[in-house]
Amino acid sequence: MSWSKLKQQLESFLCPALNGRVEYRAPAYRYLADKPGTCYISVDKKNVLNMSDKASFIKWYLTELEIKNDPDIQIPVTQDEIEAVRQASKGPVPEDRLVVMARSRKSSEHAKELLSAQASLSRSNFIVVANKYLSTSVEESIESHDILLNVLALLDRRVGKKRIVNLSEKMKLKHPIVQYFYGLRRSTL
């Protein structure tokens, strides 16, 4: 599918409150092997999510340790996860220490997901994901671990106010750019 047709279809799904504020852009309309392409999502004429085949300019975190020690990322832990740590420890461990161990384990997994997700942001990947988004349901896109699918779903007009409000807990575990677009969508309610 050509870029102009893809852009037209994506913009037709935009939430009415964000129509005109959010734009999908690709300055190089033709992708050539020797010329890397750039694609970005802009909000109020400012580039918010920049995807480049040359190199990804999105570098919120440098290492897994920085992600684990970031106080803004809050990782909720369930009783099942605490019980899994208790079984793995094979010995008496204080309850408060089990919570710390479970949170550390979960934050490591979360950090690895974030790093692998932001490494895959590129123009060619955006076109593939956008085509995939147009052929999948909104529910699948919201539940996905793919950053771009999450962003496109949050901007979609088919996602209602009630669903947006109910997503607040899930968004705490998502990538910062997904949280940004969630906040943008919440501001339109």
Side-chain angles (χ1 to χ4, degrees), residues 28 30-39 51-55 123:
R30 186 177 299 239
Y31 181 78
L32 301 171
D34 60 339
K35 182 180 178 189
T38 303
C39 183
M51 295 155 279
S52 172
D53 287 338
K54 229 185 322 190
R123 179 177 187 266

Side-chain angles (χ1 to χ4, degrees), residues 52-65:
S52 172
D53 287 338
K54 229 185 322 190
S56 177
F57 296 115
I58 301 171
K59 302 223 186 238
W60 283 285
Y61 304 106
L62 299 175
T63 63
E64 180 182 336
L65 186 59

Side-chain angles (χ1 to χ4, degrees), residues 163-187:
R163 188 182 296 169
I164 290 291
V165 171
N166 291 338
L167 285 174
S168 64
E169 278 301 310
K170 285 185 181 179
M171 289 300 131
K172 290 180 181 176
L173 294 175
K174 296 287 185 177
H175 196 275
I177 196 67
V178 177
Q179 292 175 6
Y180 170 81
F181 280 102
Y182 175 71
L184 178 70
R185 182 65 193 271
R186 283 277 311 236
S187 70

